[in-house]
Amino acid sequence: MTRDDDDSHDSHDWQRSWAVASARRLAQAIGELSFEALLDPRPIPEAGAGHYSLSFANAVAYQFRATPSAWGGVHVELGSVARRVGARPFEPADSLIQLLLDAREQLGASVEVLAGWFEEIQAGLLAESIQCERLRGRPASELASLETVALEQHLDGHPKLIAHRGRVGWGLEDLRAHAPESHARVRLDWLIVDPALTRRTGAAPDLVDLVDLVDHCCDPDERARLDAQVAARAPALAERGVLVPVHPWQWQRWIAPQFARQLGVGEIVHLGPFGDHYAPRLSLRTLANVDRRHAADLKLSLTILNTSCWRGLPGRHVTHGAAIGAALGQLVSRDPALSCVRVLGDLGGVSVPHPEYEALGHAPYRVRELIGAIWRTSAATRLEPGEVEVPAAALQQCDLAGTPLLATWVERSGATVSDWLTSLFEHTAVPLYHLLCAHGLGEIAHGQNLGLVLREGLPVAMFLRDFHGDLRRSERAPFAPGSALAGLTALPDEHLLHDLYTGYFVSVLRFVAPLVERSLGLREPEFLALLSRALRRHQAAHPELGEAFARFDPFQPAMARICLNRSRLRAAHGGGAQRPTPELGPPLRNPLATEDYT
């Protein structure tokens, strides 16, 4: 919705955008709830292939067209859903909320939890409607040509989470000012903080020079203005204080009221907005410098409920992130099998824990993560001439006519569909598998933290970023005590395998396969065969890893079904001491296990 129609939601364009967003969310919900085995669509044989039905209590039934997924569940055809009550005729259905009300018995959630979920979903529909307006009139070929950050501002949200883009805490003006789909641009607010209140990268406060990191946010003139403001507003902190950038919304909504005492006694001083302009990336709290694209990205605390949890910034992510990224970068540089992997590590960071909430011991995480900033290497510094980065999420993206962006990249590359996908798998799935088997490291490489490097449309490398919570290690990995990688969360091998299987295969490739089949003519079994062969070739090339290949077996007949929406239905998201964890559904029949793919 544009500013010209901000007083009315009844314009023709807005109604069109709302209709498209509603149809997309309804189709997504049926598909994901069927994947998580909360709904059980049944084929309608008399209607022909691809027709399904759902039956609920109170004589409510749905019908729709869909294609079954090899991973389980179905992919629902947009706009095909119809609903019937009793003996009435079927009528077109457009309400996700009505579906969830009809399915209350199957969902098994309390009224409180459902009401909170509805709140997220309604807010997400508003944001998605704005996105649909930005997509209107832009064909896939045009979207595929956008620079990385501009492309991210046109992409869909998380395909697995029904309540994605919920952003509870933001209203319409906040979406316009700060959301990626609104083409937002922000300037950072700055605080200067007594160093006794801060935690900085590494065990030693001077491991990273935060003063130099500020220069990634300010050109020399702006830096001089900022320093002058410190001298004028906070002379007692001028020599020893720590400069901390904060999101302008976070300042006015959370920091000003919750840190009132520290502001009142001068332990924290608000300096105002300074420096470069930033654009929100797909992950929302990560910002890209649009004035100087080679300057570092910034990840900031942003305490809204968005896509499963409150998006603050844990202090441990700030203090350990740079060391983890550096250690991973060194490991990757020493292994020729990982030559296509480029690590975008953290340059440094700072957090300011709230003293009173910390004193409680187990206060909700959302109030313990209110001020934090991480500077991260910009992908622009690691691209060769002729290369571009696109987020893995763009593989799942279509224009409003249903044409996938990847069709443009395949065409530009001049490669066959099979060769293009093989290159994709060899530069993403294979190195992630090698990282797991050779080094005992699992990266949850989802659509936002995995970047594809394309040259003339063909995948040639990948970027990995954001390791704080998404990089874990095997309990058996032999990292030296005290090393950054030894300090990662340790998991049993069967759990760590899902960082690859669920994190990338199920969360990204599951949604790419039907687009390839529909638009490029390569059927899902052939897609899976190409993936399987790429992994098998890697196994054959590295017989020394045979024992690890057996432990991390992506070809076993059954896999755990990791369910994010089930988790959201089990507890309200007021914010406990820890972030929620996924639930397990019934075991998943592994489509990679078939001998036909070898």
Side-chain angles (χ1 to χ4, degrees):
M1 185 168 47
T2 63
R3 289 187 179 274
D4 292 335
D5 44 27
D6 61 356
D7 293 325
S8 173
H9 283 197
D10 62 359
S11 73
H12 176 68
D13 285 348
W14 178 249
Q15 290 177 5
R16 232 182 356 164
S17 297
W18 179 265
V20 173
S22 297
R24 296 199 321 178
R25 285 296 180 96
L26 179 58
Q28 178 203 11
I30 294 174
E32 287 312 290
L33 293 175
S34 67
F35 169 75
E36 295 192 7
L38 286 166
L39 297 182
D40 185 21
R42 300 295 179 91
I44 310 173
E46 62 273 19
H51 289 77
Y52 288 82
S53 67
L54 286 169
S55 297
F56 299 116
N58 301 319
V60 174
Y62 284 76
Q63 290 186 356
F64 51 89
R65 294 187 298 275
T67 55
S69 170
W71 306 91
V74 294
H75 297 289
V76 178
E77 183 180 322
L78 200 65
S80 71
V81 185
R83 177 177 181 266
R84 181 179 69 188
V85 180
R88 299 175 187 171
F90 277 97
E91 297 180 351
D94 63 358
S95 173
L96 166 55
I97 297 296
Q98 183 62 60
L99 170 75
L100 300 179
L101 288 170
D102 292 335
R104 283 181 67 180
E105 184 176 326
Q106 285 87 342
L107 299 179
S110 69
V111 171
E112 179 188 7
V113 167
L114 279 178
W117 208 31
F118 289 3
E119 183 181 2
E120 289 180 74
I121 290 168
Q122 301 281 31
L125 277 166
L126 173 62
E128 187 145 349
S129 300
I130 296 172
Q131 184 218 5
C132 288
E133 290 220 325
R134 283 183 57 74
L135 288 174
R136 185 178 297 120
R138 308 200 76 166
S141 58
E142 179 183 336
L143 294 170
S145 300
L146 293 174
E147 181 271 331
T148 306
V149 175
L151 173 59
E152 289 191 14
Q153 296 190 324
H154 289 80
L155 297 182
D156 296 344
H158 201 308
K160 290 180 67 178
L161 278 151
I162 294 169
H164 68 91
R165 276 202 177 109
R167 301 167 186 171
V168 173
W170 277 6
L172 184 57
E173 286 302 317
D174 298 314
L175 288 174
R176 287 173 173 155
H178 305 304
E181 64 273 2
S182 298
H183 199 64
R185 297 290 185 267
V186 300
R187 290 182 87 193
L188 308 175
D189 273 50
W190 287 85
L191 311 174
I192 189 161
V193 183
D194 188 312
L197 295 179
T198 66
R199 295 178 186 169
R200 283 164 273 174
T201 294
D206 59 352
L207 184 61
V208 169
D209 190 343
L210 291 174
V211 174
D212 290 343
L213 289 177
V214 174
D215 290 336
H216 280 268
C217 309
C218 300
D219 65 22
D221 289 342
E222 279 295 293
R223 182 59 193 271
R225 287 184 61 241
L226 178 59
D227 290 342
Q229 183 78 330
V230 170
R233 296 284 307 277
L237 295 174
E239 295 298 324
R240 60 189 185 89
V242 179
L243 285 165
V244 182
V246 296
H247 193 285
W249 182 87
Q250 186 77 355
W251 156 250
Q252 63 86 22
R253 172 58 183 85
W254 286 100
I255 298 172
Q258 295 301 319
F259 285 85
R261 180 188 180 280
Q262 289 74 25
L263 289 158
V265 300
E267 294 174 337
I268 299 176
V269 177
H270 178 236
L271 302 171
F274 289 89
D276 296 335
H277 293 85
Y278 285 80
R281 304 198 67 155
L282 190 57
S283 60
L284 202 65
R285 60 183 165 161
T286 299
L287 307 173
N289 191 316
V290 294
D291 293 335
R292 297 179 295 158
R293 61 190 298 264
H294 285 78
D297 286 357
L298 265 177
K299 186 172 185 177
L300 302 175
S301 293
L302 196 60
T303 310
I304 55 175
L305 178 59
N306 185 51
T307 313
S308 82
C309 68
W310 295 87
R311 296 292 167 175
L313 201 55
R316 67 184 184 279
H317 290 182
V318 172
T319 56
H320 301 303
I324 291 170
L328 180 63
Q330 292 171 4
L331 181 151
V332 164
S333 68
R334 294 193 298 263
D335 189 337
L338 298 174
S339 60
C340 69
V341 177
R342 303 178 191 178
V343 175
L344 298 178
D346 294 348
L347 301 175
V350 57
S351 71
V352 183
H354 195 291
E356 286 83 5
Y357 290 127
E358 291 296 316
L360 290 174
H362 295 284
Y365 70 89
R366 63 185 174 87
V367 294
R368 300 198 327 265
E369 304 174 1
L370 298 177
I371 305 178
I374 293 173
W375 284 260
R376 178 173 299 140
T377 303
S378 167
T381 65
R382 302 291 308 281
L383 289 170
E384 301 295 333
E387 292 181 343
V388 297
E389 183 206 8
V390 300
L395 294 173
Q396 306 157 342
Q397 185 67 43
C398 295
D399 61 20
L400 288 186
T403 303
L405 275 59
L406 67 85
T408 296
W409 295 318
V410 173
E411 181 182 358
R412 288 176 182 170
S413 72
T416 65
V417 178
S418 295
D419 287 347
W420 194 94
L421 289 171
T422 296
S423 187
L424 171 69
F425 299 149
E426 288 178 344
H427 292 96
T428 56
V430 168
L432 289 169
Y433 186 48
H434 183 81
L435 190 66
L436 181 63
C437 296
H439 303 288
L441 292 173
E443 168 74 8
I444 307 175
H446 51 73
Q448 297 178 357
N449 65 4
L450 189 156
L452 302 177
V453 179
L454 305 182
R455 185 183 299 124
E456 296 182 347
L458 189 70
V460 296
M462 74 171 176
F463 284 125
L464 291 180
R465 51 165 66 84
D466 203 9
F467 313 112
H468 321 103
D470 288 344
L471 184 70
R472 288 93 73 83
R473 68 172 180 87
S474 167
E475 291 175 336
R476 301 169 57 164
F479 296 113
S483 74
L485 298 179
L488 294 170
T489 299
L491 297 176
D493 290 346
E494 60 270 23
H495 292 182
L496 197 66
L497 175 60
H498 280 277
D499 287 355
L500 171 68
Y501 189 90
T502 299
Y504 185 50
F505 295 172
V506 175
S507 299
V508 178
L509 299 183
R510 174 166 64 100
F511 299 97
V512 176
L515 300 183
V516 170
E517 179 166 337
R518 188 185 74 225
S519 295
L520 298 173
L522 188 135
R523 297 174 57 248
E524 187 175 43
E526 298 172 88
F527 181 100
L528 295 170
L530 294 172
L531 174 60
S532 179
R533 290 169 191 154
L535 296 173
R536 296 283 192 191
R537 282 195 300 273
H538 189 72
Q539 289 181 335
H542 294 273
E544 74 280 6
L545 297 177
E547 186 269 339
F549 291 146
R551 287 190 290 117
F552 299 110
D553 181 11
F555 303 107
Q556 56 192 277
M559 300 291 285
R561 189 186 304 257
I562 311 297
C563 301
L564 301 182
N565 295 294
R566 279 179 177 262
S567 174
R568 183 62 189 88
L569 287 166
R570 297 298 168 256
H573 275 216
Q578 302 294 329
R579 283 167 168 74
T581 56
E583 297 271 335
L584 291 179
L588 175 67
R589 176 185 169 276
N590 183 6
L592 294 178
T594 176
E595 293 299 317
D596 294 341
Y597 298 155
T598 58

